[in-house]
Amino acid sequence: MLQIFKTFDELAQGVAGYIFSAIGQTLSAQDRFSLVLSGGSTPRAAYTLLSEPAIARQVDWARVHIFWGDERCVPPDHNESNFRMARETLLSRLPFPERNIHRIQGELPPQQAAEAYLQQLEGFFGGQSGLPHFDLVLLGMGEDGHVASLFPGDAALEVVDRWVVAVEHDRPPAPLVARVTVTLPVINAARRVALIVSGSGKAERVRQALSGADAAETLPAQRVKPKQGELVWLLYGDAGKWINPI
Ligand code: 6PG
């Protein structure tokens, strides 16, 4: 599924609405909802909308569990922390029990942070047999086509036997900082994945990813293909200009 929004505000509303419906539909059929947040600037406005009282009071947040697709190895109050962004826009504004917040501990050394996050996932999903099935994974896409912290050409992109890895990324435009990320098999085992993209610098990447022409090695976003789940692309303006000229 593909939706192109004319303004950034409409994209934010579309993303918030998508998350809201996914939570509602899922919680009518099961006890808990696992939501994987993405970092980056694009989802920030959507998280803020989701926490507005008119929407927020319709959700049973005690049954929603929050995870992250990736994190920079920085302390939780650092400007670059994905946890901090989510805390400011969403978590601090809603009645989440502490036990529902499953953050990546970016303040730890990268390997240790990856191991600690794996243990959290195993605890939640009940062991490492098979793969975890998150109810919804939100992803942004960088100008180089990266998703979560899976960058073009990095070994992490090829990992199939681990749920979580630590990565050192040393090429621009990404900052020189270690990160922890879930792997592609985990993303592709989700019940729903939403790729949220804004920014004109990404239009060509979006076109390539959606064209079907194989660019799997250079374009991580093209490898986001949930095996049994739903994939939705939510685009703003120029990011979708080759798909549906505006
Ligand atoms: C991050 C994410 C990264 C992000 C993309 C898109 O924490 O930065 O790992 O994958 O989602 O770089 O970011 P924007 O939405 O800011 O363009």
Side-chain angles (χ1 to χ4, degrees):
M1 188 168 84
L2 170 69
Q3 286 186 53
I4 304 177
F5 298 90
K6 287 211 168 61
T7 67
F8 187 77
D9 285 351
E10 285 175 23
L11 171 69
Q13 283 165 19
V15 173
Y18 183 77
I19 300 170
F20 177 76
S21 321
I23 294 175
Q25 281 170 24
T26 305
L27 288 183
S28 65
Q30 66 186 48
D31 286 345
R32 59 186 191 175
F33 184 86
S34 49
L35 172 61
V36 177
L37 300 180
S38 85
S41 53
T42 310
R44 174 180 277 272
Y47 297 168
T48 305
L49 277 179
L50 205 55
S51 63
E52 294 296 337
I55 299 183
R57 64 169 167 255
Q58 299 179 55
V59 177
D60 185 356
W61 296 105
R63 294 163 65 199
V64 177
H65 286 256
I66 301 293
F67 296 83
W68 279 261
D70 71 328
E71 182 60 280
R72 293 173 186 79
C73 289
V74 295
D77 57 352
H78 193 281
N79 266 341
E80 295 276 313
S81 162
N82 286 342
F83 168 77
R84 175 179 166 164
M85 190 272 270
R87 189 190 60 208
E88 288 176 354
T89 52
L90 189 68
L91 307 178
S92 63
R93 305 174 69 188
L94 296 172
F96 281 106
E98 193 70 20
R99 66 176 180 282
N100 288 25
I101 312 294
H102 308 266
R103 78 176 176 91
I104 300 173
Q105 296 173 71
E107 67 276 29
L108 297 176
Q111 294 297 345
Q112 222 174 302
E115 181 57 33
Y117 193 49
L118 173 64
Q119 282 174 16
Q120 289 211 53
L121 300 191
E122 287 177 349
F124 185 81
F125 288 102
Q128 208 184 356
S129 59
L131 285 162
H133 297 289
F134 285 110
D135 292 307
L136 173 58
V137 173
L138 305 177
L139 294 173
M141 184 186 80
E143 287 190 14
D144 59 358
H146 80 261
V147 292
S149 287
L150 300 168
F151 292 88
D154 272 6
L157 196 53
E158 308 303 331
V159 171
V160 291
D161 59 350
R162 276 172 290 161
W163 292 6
V164 183
V165 291
V167 296
E168 292 279 350
H169 188 73
D170 61 0
R171 288 191 300 274
L176 304 179
V177 66
R179 297 165 176 234
V180 171
T181 184
V182 298
T183 56
L184 268 179
V186 169
I187 292 171
N188 286 332
R191 301 204 165 90
R192 288 185 165 92
V193 179
L195 259 157
I196 306 158
V197 187
S198 67
S200 54
K202 300 175 184 173
E204 176 56 20
R205 289 298 192 186
V206 171
R207 188 194 64 74
Q208 269 185 300
L210 290 170
S211 70
D214 186 14
E217 280 187 17
T218 52
L219 186 48
Q222 197 181 59
R223 296 171 71 168
V224 177
K225 290 180 181 158
K227 286 208 161 24
Q228 283 151 10
E230 169 179 286
L231 173 62
V232 52
W233 283 77
L234 302 169
L235 310 176
Y236 153 53
D238 272 6
K241 72 178 175 186
W242 303 125
I243 309 299
N244 180 15
I246 52 174

